[in-house]
Structure formats: C-alpha cells, structure tokens
C-alpha cells in the first residue's frame, strides 16, 4: 500500500500599517512617495547611538483594530522586546518587536467556503514590530535605503491549522480583504507592503504529530504563495519517500525556476536573545480605550456575506464575490438602491459583463467612472425589455469606455428593442421564404430548428426584436403552413 501524506501549513503574515509617521520616530512612513533613497530618516530610524524611540499611537490603534477584527483578545498589558540579529538592513543590530506579550492573541478566522461550516483557523497572535531598510543587490555590492526602516509592521501568526494549499490561499486572501476593509493596509503585494511566510510540514495521513517544518520567506503574491507551498509539500514528501528526514530551515522561493532554495538553517527563538526593550515602557491599554477601538470596526466580509445572502437572496458564492472588496459591495448596494430590477439580476450584471471589463482593462473599481445610477438605469431598460440583453452589454461597455447616458447611447446606436409585431413579422416572412428546407424540418417534428431560426431573426433585426414576441410569431407563422 502506498503511503499518503497530509500537509500541515501555518502562515506568518507581515503587513505594513498605513500610518503617517514611522513606528518609533516622526519620519514619514510614506517611503513609496520618497523622491530619493535615504531622505525620510533620522537618528532613531538609522540607529544612531543614544537616540530614543517613542511609540506611534496611531499604529497601536490600527494594530488593536486588526486584532479585534480577527477575534483576538487585546492584552491590556503588552510589551516591546528586542529581537537581536545582525544584517545590513537593520541599523540597530536588533529589531524592536513584541515577544512574550503581544498586543493581541488567541483569535480566529473562518475561511469562507461553499458550505455553512467554514473552516476555522486559529490566529495565535498579532504583534507590532518595525520594518527593516530596503536592500538592493547589484553585481558586486548592495545598496541600502533606510526610508523603509522603522515603518510600522504587523505580524499575524496562525496556528498550523491549514491542511492544503487552497486553505492557505483562502486564509491569506481573507486576511488581505480584512486589512483593506479596515483601511490599515493597501494590500499592494507588488509594492511589498503585504508579505507571506509559509511554514510547511507533511505527515502520514491520519497522524496528528507535528513534524519538522520549513519556512518559505517573503512570498510577495498569491501566486508565489500557492506555487511555493505546493512545491515544498511535494519536495518534503519525496524526502520522506526516499527514507530521509526534512531539515528545519529557512527557504526562499525562486520564481523563475519554480523551486524553493535553502537560505539558512532556521534559527530558534533563543538564537535572537529576546529581552524586554529597555527604552520603551509597556503598553497599558484601558478597557474603555479597547472598547472605543472596537466600536470603530466596520461590517467585515463574513458578516456582510451573511447579510447579502439574507437581504438580497443571493447564493453564498455570489455574496462572497460581491463582498470580497468593500468598494465592490458598496457599489452593488448603490446600484440595488437605484434600480427596480432584482438584486439577483444586478449581481449577474456586476459579476458578468462589468467584472469582465474590469479584468480585461486591468482597472480597479476606483478607476472606473460609471455612476451607480446610470448602471441601474441600463439594467432596468433590459428588465423592461426596452433593449435586449445583448444590446444592454453593448451599452454598458460604451458607458464604461466613454461615459454617457444609457438612453442616449441606445438612441445613437439604434438599439431600442422592437416588440412591434408588424416589423418582426416582416422579418420572419423573409427568413421563412429564404429557408424552406428548415421550415420543412420543423414541420416534420424537428423543434430544435426554432433556435436556429431565432438566430436568423436576431441577425436580420440586429438584435432589436423582442425575443419572446419573435418566438411566438415565428412558431405561429410556421404552424399556419401545416394546413
Ligand atoms: P517560530 O516562532 O520559531 O517562528 P512558531 O512555533 O512560533 O515558530 O511558529 C511559526 C509558524 O510556524 C506558525 O505560523 C505556526 O503555525 C507554524 N508551524 C509551527 N509548527 C509547524 C509545523 N510542524 N508544520 C507547519 N507549520 C508549523
Ligand atoms: Mg517565522
Ligand atoms: Zn526616523
């Protein structure tokens, strides 16, 4: 019998916080807009001797907000710690982080799925730290830019609760959505503001042991997370199959070659010589303060999904799609509120033609200029049969590309649907006399030929004939020839 294996995955997610200033000094944290390297720096974030850190209040608020959104307890007493290691991107020779007492711990996130019973991933902790400087490796040297050094960074650590790559991907996707809902992080992974580390082990199916894991660092896209995890699972299985042992180590992901590569043996916590940060007092968070942060929580994707299912009678997957981004959910609700058509119909328009345009044009929702009211008017014109579904799509694409008012576009493009029977009847007579063979087939019992003839009607009327009226007339006209 061949042995099967079960993957065990835990994720560590690093997210920069969208504050104006850095974590422990007043330098701007907006390093992406800096005109030059090493311009947003001061003695604190470049680690000059004697410089003293001061905690960024806004960063603490945002960290607590994330902790609460992930169902964590906020630790009213939490402390900063020094994580000691040397690397050229770390000017102090240590990173200020949180170790024994993080700001938030013991939460969970339900991964959305098809069923009523989503899979729950335990969030072990959420802690505050500072980002490092940015290194650029040239041929024979490296360049260092301290603009990023000291930018507030959140680390969100899960328990090893995920059992396949899809689960890890949905967890990561949901975390990103929540950070964006909370407006604490832009989610721009290509800019490096959100980075994943996947901890992976495999064990014989049915076993509950936790085997030696490897850690893949700095995964900067969902694609990298997916491919690297899948690769590493297979690699470890091969090691066990060959009778070997997996070595605990830190790996990098080589995107071009599609392989994980060893960077260093994984250090244990004691290698960092963590100790309490002597330059910063513990954070004392009052219950009233925690409550006030909690009151700022918006309706999050899960709750919104459930509400959309109930209020708009949508299927789970439909509601999940619409609530994946808050602006999209808001847009859907704005269209619904201005339209006479059913929310189901509006979902189809958004999930179909509208999102296809977004994908094809690679535009984000905020760069699309179609007022909800005009979209609603167009959908209602289709619902009322003023225009056909296909013509509606043409009008929508025109509005998305060049703006305009649906009624005027319909007029200009001569797209109004006709249910005037005289006009349709005329077209039908012509088609039937041009295609006597098809009429005979119909009369001989081949009813599917009606679809083909309807296609001819749509073509000769340029899609303007109301299909229901046309079909009725078509069948009636052919039936008359029976006698
Ligand atoms: P460290 O603090 O040394 O990095 P932790 O035990 O805190 O190690 O775990 C770090 C991450 O590794 C967590 O996300 C955790 O879920 C994950 N992890 C721990 N053990 C395993 C394992 N055996 N297999 C897969 N992931 C694991
Ligand atoms: Mg780690
Ligand atoms: Zn500074």
């Amino acid at each position: 019998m061949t042995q099967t294996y079960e993957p065990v995955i835990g994720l560590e997610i690093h997210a920069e916080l969208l504050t104006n200033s850095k974590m422990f000094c007043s330098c701007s944290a907006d390093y992406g807009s800096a005109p030059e390297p090493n311009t947003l720096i001061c003695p604190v974030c470049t680690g000059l001797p004697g410089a003293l850190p001061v905690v960024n209040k806004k960063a603490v608020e945002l960290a607590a907000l994330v902790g609460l959104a992930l169902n964590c307890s906020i630790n009213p007493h939490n402390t900063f710690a020094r994580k000691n290691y040397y690397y050229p991107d770390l000017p102090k020779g240590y990173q200020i982080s949180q170790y024994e007492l993080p700001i938030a711990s013991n939460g969970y996130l339900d991964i959305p799925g098809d069923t009523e019973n989503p899979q729950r991933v335990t969030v072990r902790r959420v802690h505050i730290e500072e980002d490092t400087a940015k290194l650029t490796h040239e041929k024979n040297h490296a360049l260092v830019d301290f603009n990023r050094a000291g930018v507030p960074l959140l680390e969100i650590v899960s328990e090893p609760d995920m059992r396949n790559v899809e689960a890890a991907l949905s967890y990561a996707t949901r975390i990103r959505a929540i950070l964006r809902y909370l407006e604490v992080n832009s989610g721009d992974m290509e800019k490096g503001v959100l980075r994943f580390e996947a901890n992976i082990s495999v064990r014989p199916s049915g076993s509950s042991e936790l085997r030696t894991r490897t850690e893949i660092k700095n995964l900067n896209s969902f694609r990298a997370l997916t491919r690297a995890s899948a690769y590493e699972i297979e690699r470890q299985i091969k090691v066990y199959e060959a009778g070997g042992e997996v070595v605990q180590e830190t790996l990098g992901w080589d995107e071009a070659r599609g392989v994980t590569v060893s960077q260093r043996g994984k250090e244990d916590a004691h290698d960092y010589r963590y100790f309490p940060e002597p330059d910063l007092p513990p954070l004392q968070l009052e219950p009233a303060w925690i409550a006030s942060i909690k009151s700022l929580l918006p309706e999050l994707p899960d709750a919104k999904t459930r509400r959309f299912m109930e209020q708009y009678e949508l299927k789970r997957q439909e509601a999940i799609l619409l609530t994946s981004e808050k602006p999209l959910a808001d847009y859907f609700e704005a269209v619904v509120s201005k339209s006479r058509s059913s929310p189901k119909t509006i979902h189809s328009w958004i999930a179909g033609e509208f999102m296809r345009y977004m994908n094809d044009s690679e535009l984000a929702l905020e760069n699309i200029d179609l007022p909800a009211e005009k979209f609603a008017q167009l959908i209602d014109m289709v619902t009322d049969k003023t225009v056909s579904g296909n013509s509606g799509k043409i009008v929508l694409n025109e509005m998305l590309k060049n703006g305009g008012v649906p009624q005027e576009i319909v007029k200009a493009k001569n797209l109004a649907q006709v249910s005037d029977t005289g006009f349709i009847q005329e077209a039908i007579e012509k088609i039937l006399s041009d295609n006597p063979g098809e009429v005979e087939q119909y009369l001989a019992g081949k009813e599917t030929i009606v679809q083909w003839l309807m296609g001819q009607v749509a073509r000769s009327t340029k899609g303007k004939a109301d299909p229901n009226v046309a079909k009725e007339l078509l069948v009636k006209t052919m039936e008359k020839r029976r006698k």
Side-chain angles (χ1 to χ4, degrees):
M1 213 183 79
T2 52
Q3 176 67 59
T4 59
Y5 293 86
E6 177 180 63
V8 175
I9 307 176
L11 290 185
E12 294 166 278
I13 299 183
H14 281 102
E16 283 177 2
L17 293 173
L18 278 171
T19 53
N20 291 329
S21 56
K22 291 187 180 180
M23 188 62 225
F24 301 115
C25 60
S26 57
C27 294
S28 166
D30 186 14
Y31 64 90
S33 308
E36 295 276 345
N38 298 309
T39 46
L40 308 178
I41 57 173
C42 74
V44 174
C45 55
T46 50
L48 298 192
L52 288 175
V54 177
V55 171
N56 181 332
K57 186 172 167 214
K58 186 74 189 176
V60 175
E61 288 173 12
L62 299 185
L65 197 61
V66 173
L68 291 165
L70 298 176
N71 306 294
C72 292
S73 321
I74 300 300
N75 297 315
H77 175 91
N78 62 87
T79 57
F80 290 98
R82 283 189 186 180
K83 181 178 181 178
N84 298 282
Y85 65 96
Y86 176 75
Y87 205 63
D89 64 8
L90 196 65
K92 298 192 291 292
Y94 60 84
Q95 179 189 34
I96 304 179
S97 181
Q98 295 196 294
Y99 183 55
E100 278 163 341
L101 293 167
I103 185 164
S105 47
N106 289 322
Y108 63 83
L109 179 66
D110 287 334
I111 304 177
D114 290 330
T115 62
E116 289 295 330
N117 307 310
Q119 191 195 326
R120 181 160 287 192
V121 175
T122 299
V123 174
R124 182 188 292 175
R125 55 189 276 142
V126 175
H127 72 246
I128 300 169
E129 52 188 42
E130 51 177 339
D131 212 343
T132 56
K134 200 170 169 124
L135 288 177
T136 309
H137 296 277
E138 306 277 314
K139 203 161 177 220
N140 292 315
H141 61 282
L143 299 168
V144 60
D145 175 9
F146 287 102
N147 285 349
R148 196 181 71 180
V151 166
L153 196 62
L154 214 56
E155 180 165 344
I156 303 166
V157 183
S158 85
E159 289 296 338
D161 285 350
M162 288 155 276
R163 296 288 172 267
N164 52 54
V165 175
E166 295 73 48
L169 181 64
S170 348
Y171 171 83
T173 305
R174 246 307 143 77
I175 293 274
R176 177 176 181 271
I178 290 173
L179 295 173
R180 283 172 54 82
Y181 261 68
L182 299 174
E183 296 176 3
V184 304
N185 182 286
S186 69
D188 287 335
M189 287 178 279
E190 67 283 3
K191 292 187 183 148
V193 302
L194 182 64
R195 320 187 283 260
F196 306 119
E197 283 163 36
N199 293 269
I200 293 180
S201 61
V202 299
R203 62 189 178 196
S205 299
S207 143
S208 57
E209 67 178 319
L210 279 180
R211 287 192 165 183
T212 303
R213 69 171 194 276
T214 57
E215 176 179 6
I216 318 169
K217 283 257 182 221
N218 282 324
L219 297 167
N220 284 333
S221 67
F222 288 125
R223 185 176 137 87
L225 171 66
T226 309
R227 290 178 70 210
S229 306
Y231 175 88
E232 183 56 17
I233 289 165
E234 287 311 311
R235 189 192 68 82
Q236 291 187 15
I237 291 174
K238 281 189 199 134
V239 170
Y240 287 124
E241 288 287 284
E245 285 296 320
V246 169
V247 183
Q248 180 169 328
E249 60 185 339
T250 299
L251 305 168
W253 170 242
D254 184 329
E255 182 77 42
R257 292 192 310 154
V259 296
T260 53
V261 283
S262 180
Q263 291 188 330
R264 52 187 147 99
K266 163 78 179 151
E267 51 292 289
D268 282 313
H270 61 250
D271 294 323
Y272 289 119
R273 318 301 286 187
Y274 279 102
F275 63 85
E277 168 58 61
D279 289 339
L280 288 171
L283 281 177
Q284 302 286 357
L285 306 175
E286 300 297 326
W289 180 87
I290 297 172
S292 74
I293 298 293
K294 196 165 193 167
S295 73
L296 299 176
L297 279 179
E299 183 183 37
L300 291 167
D302 248 356
K304 217 186 258 300
T305 299
R306 267 180 271 120
R307 179 167 68 78
F308 275 28
M309 287 171 67
E310 255 177 48
Q311 188 174 342
Y312 302 121
E313 297 178 344
L314 297 174
K315 293 208 191 89
R316 178 174 299 277
Q317 290 309 322
E318 296 169 342
I320 285 176
L321 176 86
L322 291 173
T323 57
S324 58
E325 294 281 341
K326 188 169 177 293
L328 185 66
D330 291 346
Y331 189 63
F332 166 78
E333 294 204 280
V335 179
V336 167
S337 75
K338 304 220 180 308
S339 164
R340 282 175 278 114
S341 310
S342 73
K344 257 285 189 279
T345 302
I346 290 162
H347 158 266
S348 314
W349 277 93
I350 290 183
E353 205 59 21
F354 183 78
M355 292 189 83
R356 184 162 25 246
Y357 175 83
M358 275 175 66
N359 285 338
D360 292 350
S361 61
E362 287 176 18
L363 285 176
L365 186 60
E366 57 263 34
N367 300 320
I368 287 182
D369 186 23
L370 175 59
E373 192 161 11
K374 289 194 182 141
F375 198 179
Q377 285 167 5
L378 168 67
I379 297 172
D380 288 349
M381 286 170 85
V382 177
T383 302
D384 300 344
K385 302 212 163 82
T386 313
V387 293
S388 70
N390 276 334
S391 302
K393 286 181 189 168
I394 297 172
V395 177
L396 175 60
N397 278 288
E398 174 64 22
M399 288 198 293
L400 287 166
K401 266 181 222 133
N402 303 317
V405 180
Q407 291 81 351
E408 284 169 13
I409 297 171
V410 167
K411 220 183 257 169
K413 291 190 183 278
N414 194 18
L415 289 170
Q417 184 159 262
V418 179
S419 36
D420 163 22
T421 50
F423 163 78
I424 299 172
Q425 185 68 35
E426 207 171 291
I428 288 174
E429 297 289 354
K430 169 106 177 46
I431 289 161
L432 296 186
S433 67
D434 287 352
N435 300 282
E438 275 71 17
V439 179
E440 241 161 66
Q441 286 183 36
Y442 171 80
L443 294 174
K446 191 177 175 196
E447 300 216 341
T448 48
I449 205 74
V450 171
Q451 263 333 98
W452 184 84
L453 288 164
M454 281 294 290
Q456 302 304 303
V457 175
R459 225 168 81 187
S460 83
T461 60
K462 299 201 171 71
K464 289 194 290 177
D466 179 326
N468 290 325
V469 177
K471 191 167 178 185
E472 209 184 304
L473 286 175
L474 176 66
V475 171
K476 229 193 229 161
T477 314
M478 289 195 291
E479 286 298 331
K480 267 195 200 143
R481 304 196 175 182
R482 240 186 237 293
K483 284 133 214 172

